[in-house]
Amino acid sequence: MELPFAESYKIKMVEAIRKSTREEREKWIREAGYNVFNLTSAQVYIDLLTDSGTGAMSDRQWSAMMVGDESYAGASSYYKLKDVVRDITGFEWFLPTHQGRAAENVLFSTLVREGDIVPGNSHFDTTKGHIEFRKATAADCTVDAAEDTTLDHPFKGNIDLLKLEDVLSSYPAERIPFVIVTVTCNSSGGQPVSMDNLRAVREMANRYGVPVIFDAARFAENAWFIKEREKLYSDKSIKEIVREMFSYADAMTMSSKKDGIVNMGGFIAFRKEEWFREASVYNILFEGFITYGGMSGRDMNALAQGLVEGTDYEYLRTRIRQIEYLDGLLRQYNIPVQTPVGGHAVFVDAGRFLPHLPREEFVGQALVVELYLEAGVRATEIGTLLADRDPETRENRYPAVEFVRLAVPRRVYTNNHMDVVAAALKNIYDRRDEIRRGYRIVKEAPIMRHFTVELEKI
Ligand SMILES: *Cc1c(COP(=O)(O)O)cnc(C)c1O
């Protein structure tokens, strides 16, 4: 018989986690203002809040930390990381930052001005935040297919070229600092962007004289899907695919907390020295000297090793197989999820799960709270709460889909944990008609409200 698939690693260190009672969770979530960001980690049994910075480092990463060089300037850890980044991405110029949004802050300080338009596939929340904070506008050009969770489309992260051309042709090039492509596209469900689309975006941007930047937090998972779903690439190595992807960009921002498999870190990489020089000023101002940028030497060492492991074929296979496993269980239970499954998470379509709840009552959040109450599983809402208010009208922005994201940390949970998550959702689905009302906001911040919002039950 054919041998079954198994993980490409074994476990050397464990952390105990504890189940709680429903009574405990009812008290805790009330005290947290029905916002799971306000829960303590000890109040959570299985934590699928995010895959960001929550991965397990390898023995090689931990050992690399022991030989970190903590020199202020010119540390060997910096050069080691710079070499790995060049080898993987092909970019010559590089600046470390303490995380992904810091990379955005530095690069956008260099490139984005008031009144600018920044087209892209669904901008990540901090990316959008950094654009809107500078009084510029993010123009979402994602393909419409991403909005229909029942539709099977291999690359729902793709940019709709007609929408992009519409933006590029409506404004002078000086008003468009760059096109930003998020790989994979987090907001639509960890959905990949095809190589064909990356190439076409590059060609179109060239015609309009506009640069292209990748928000590359999950570039390796994106490469995996190109290999799996794009015919011409099935025989190419992950490394070759990654190199070709980045060949279509002028620069990248990276949250290393995702495919870099470290708990903290980020960077910017550039093709042009000029941008690197300009951004260096802001890096020194906001992050630190250009050879550490908010990272310690040991953390740069761990990241250099993490990037090598994060682009390894067997690792990626293990990673995506686990997401597919969870997705498969949920489909078996008829739970509505984004089709096909993406890279770092399963996205439940809360609007189809609880169709009787009005959107003003935060349908996704209602399901997040139910899931926590049912099994101590912490997920996150990617819906109206996250979409926030329109900066002009201050009205709620209603996104196309009310998602609940089950983000799976890298190398942390087993498929037994995934069984618990799926069973909990099934129990809720079976009694979904009993969930009659949602939530209203008691307190919220003026920008990125979902992190700190406080809610009450209606
Ligand atoms: C996480 C993330 C960011 C921001 O990075 P942080 O490290 O959390 O600051 C930006 N873009 C995407 C696509 C992300 O997933």
Side-chain angles (χ1 to χ4, degrees):
M1 93 194 250
E2 197 183 332
L3 295 180
F5 172 82
E7 289 79 2
S8 64
Y9 45 77
K10 59 182 179 174
I11 297 165
K12 187 152 14 190
M13 190 188 278
V14 296
E15 176 184 340
I17 49 177
R18 176 183 167 268
K19 286 192 210 173
S20 49
T21 64
R22 187 164 177 118
E23 288 68 38
E24 284 176 317
R25 293 193 291 273
E26 279 170 1
K27 175 169 173 284
W28 292 335
I29 194 72
R30 198 179 337 109
E31 287 168 356
Y34 298 97
N35 177 353
V36 291
F37 283 97
N38 292 334
L39 292 169
T40 68
S41 60
Q43 294 168 341
V44 175
Y45 174 41
I46 298 171
D47 202 349
L48 306 187
L49 182 73
T50 176
D51 63 320
S52 179
T54 52
M57 293 213 297
S58 69
D59 53 350
R60 289 181 186 210
Q61 285 179 286
W62 280 107
S63 63
M65 289 189 76
M66 297 304 293
V67 291
D69 178 354
E70 305 302 342
S71 304
Y72 191 99
S76 63
S77 302
Y78 163 79
Y79 288 104
K80 187 181 287 179
L81 179 55
K82 187 175 193 286
D83 285 348
V84 169
V85 169
R86 187 201 288 121
D87 182 50
I88 288 176
T89 67
F91 289 122
E92 281 299 320
W93 300 93
F94 159 79
L95 282 171
T97 62
H98 81 273
Q99 62 183 96
R101 69 198 70 184
E104 291 165 354
N105 188 30
V106 169
L107 188 65
F108 295 4
S109 293
T110 316
L111 301 176
V112 180
R113 297 286 166 262
E114 186 172 337
D116 282 356
I117 313 288
V118 183
N121 51 351
S122 310
H123 307 62
F124 183 67
D125 56 354
T126 63
T127 317
K128 196 174 199 157
H130 272 294
I131 292 167
E132 292 178 352
F133 181 70
R134 291 174 173 77
K135 300 196 164 52
T137 308
D140 190 346
C141 302
T142 315
V143 290
D144 288 336
E147 298 181 355
D148 181 353
T149 56
T150 62
L151 195 75
D152 203 1
H153 181 303
F155 293 102
K156 284 185 169 176
N158 277 1
I159 287 199
D160 183 320
L161 296 170
L162 292 176
K163 290 186 195 173
L164 178 64
E165 182 134 43
D166 191 39
V167 176
L168 291 175
S169 61
S170 301
Y171 301 91
E174 311 82 69
R175 293 276 304 283
I176 306 172
F178 49 81
V179 177
I180 188 156
V181 190
T182 307
V183 288
T184 58
C185 188
N186 191 346
S187 318
S188 65
Q191 293 292 317
V193 183
S194 72
M195 192 73 89
D196 192 48
N197 192 248
L198 292 175
R199 194 182 306 115
V201 166
R202 171 85 251 180
E203 283 166 6
M204 184 177 291
N206 280 353
R207 272 197 278 121
Y208 287 90
V210 172
V212 176
I213 285 172
F214 288 176
D215 179 354
R218 299 180 184 82
F219 71 93
E221 291 172 4
N222 199 88
W224 170 269
F225 286 115
I226 288 176
K227 187 171 169 67
E228 287 286 295
R229 298 181 185 171
E230 204 165 345
K231 269 199 199 74
L232 286 173
Y233 291 88
S234 58
D235 293 333
K236 293 249 193 304
S237 70
I238 295 294
K239 212 174 161 160
E240 286 169 324
I241 293 171
V242 167
R243 270 291 191 122
E244 182 177 340
M245 282 168 56
F246 285 116
S247 76
Y248 301 125
D250 298 286
M252 64 182 279
T253 54
M254 177 75 187
S255 169
S256 306
K257 303 166 71 173
K258 283 60 173 251
D259 282 354
I261 328 182
V262 291
N263 304 116
M264 190 54 66
F267 62 85
I268 316 169
F270 320 76
R271 198 169 312 288
K272 277 194 299 201
E273 183 179 353
E274 190 192 334
W275 278 8
F276 162 78
R277 296 269 166 230
E278 288 170 25
S280 294
V281 177
Y282 293 104
N283 215 57
I284 293 168
L285 195 60
F286 299 146
E287 294 295 297
F289 183 62
I290 57 171
T291 64
Y292 74 89
M295 290 185 77
S296 53
R298 55 181 170 272
D299 285 343
M300 288 192 279
N301 270 13
L303 175 55
Q305 176 63 25
L307 285 167
V308 172
E309 293 175 14
T311 50
D312 176 70
Y313 176 81
E314 290 299 332
Y315 156 75
L316 281 168
R317 190 153 105 112
T318 301
R319 164 79 176 148
I320 305 295
R321 281 289 286 248
Q322 183 168 51
I323 313 286
E324 287 170 351
Y325 178 78
L326 176 58
D327 176 73
L329 288 174
L330 295 180
R331 279 174 205 280
Q332 206 178 305
Y333 301 150
N334 293 319
I335 291 165
V337 290
Q338 173 67 294
T339 306
V341 73
H344 65 292
V346 176
F347 279 59
V348 179
D349 187 336
R352 279 166 57 215
F353 195 113
L354 298 170
H356 49 283
L357 276 199
R359 298 191 76 183
E360 303 77 62
E361 297 184 11
F362 305 107
V363 184
Q365 189 64 15
L367 183 54
V368 165
V369 172
E370 286 299 324
L371 181 57
Y372 176 70
L373 288 173
E374 178 71 25
V377 174
R378 177 158 67 173
T380 189
E381 189 253 22
I382 307 252
T384 304
L385 257 192
L386 179 97
D388 220 314
R389 293 181 188 276
D390 184 284
E392 298 296 318
T393 66
R394 301 307 295 156
E395 293 295 321
N396 276 330
R397 283 192 282 218
Y398 291 102
V401 189
E402 299 284 352
F403 279 124
V404 166
R405 184 182 75 174
L406 306 166
V408 183
R410 294 168 181 77
R411 307 190 289 208
V412 170
Y413 293 112
T414 67
N415 286 359
N416 290 327
H417 295 110
M418 299 301 116
D419 290 344
V420 174
V421 174
L425 276 163
K426 180 182 186 314
N427 290 345
I428 301 166
Y429 196 59
D430 288 346
R431 60 174 170 76
R432 62 190 180 280
D433 292 339
E434 293 162 25
I435 303 165
R436 305 293 338 165
R437 300 302 300 264
Y439 293 83
R440 76 166 72 90
I441 292 178
V442 181
K443 265 191 211 152
E444 69 182 296
I447 188 168
M448 297 213 264
R449 64 180 178 185
H450 60 288
F451 286 118
T452 52
V453 70
E454 287 176 30
L455 302 158
E456 65 183 14
K457 251 187 170 139
I458 297 177

